Amino acid sequence: GDYRAVESYRHRVGRELTCPIVALVGEDDPVTSVADAWAWRGHTTSSCRLEVFPGGHFYLSSQPAAVLATIQRHIDTWS
């Protein structure tokens, strides 16, 4: 499903988010490079952080605790 979304999504300039973004990516992801993930910063007028994890496209399944801790850490800073 994520491949289909990437292929069909077209960003409309001027419709940026106003909330912070945290992009997560696997350092060896053959589909989404670190540079591609960092491009999320162009989709918000707020802050953008990039978190890079060891692994490829499915880094989430090999280290769920680290991913959840990262997400929680960022949520805590927003509240």
Side-chain angles (χ1 to χ4, degrees), residues 48-64:
C48 184
R49 302 283 307 218
L50 180 65
E51 298 284 348
V52 181
F53 291 87
H57 190 70
F58 297 103
Y59 69 91
L60 291 165
S61 55
S62 65
Q63 50 199 325

Side-chain angles (χ1 to χ4, degrees), residues 2 10 20 43-44 46 52 57 61 65 76-77:
D2 56 346
R10 297 295 174 256
H43 295 276
T44 185
S46 187
V52 181
H57 190 70
S61 55
D76 289 345
T77 66

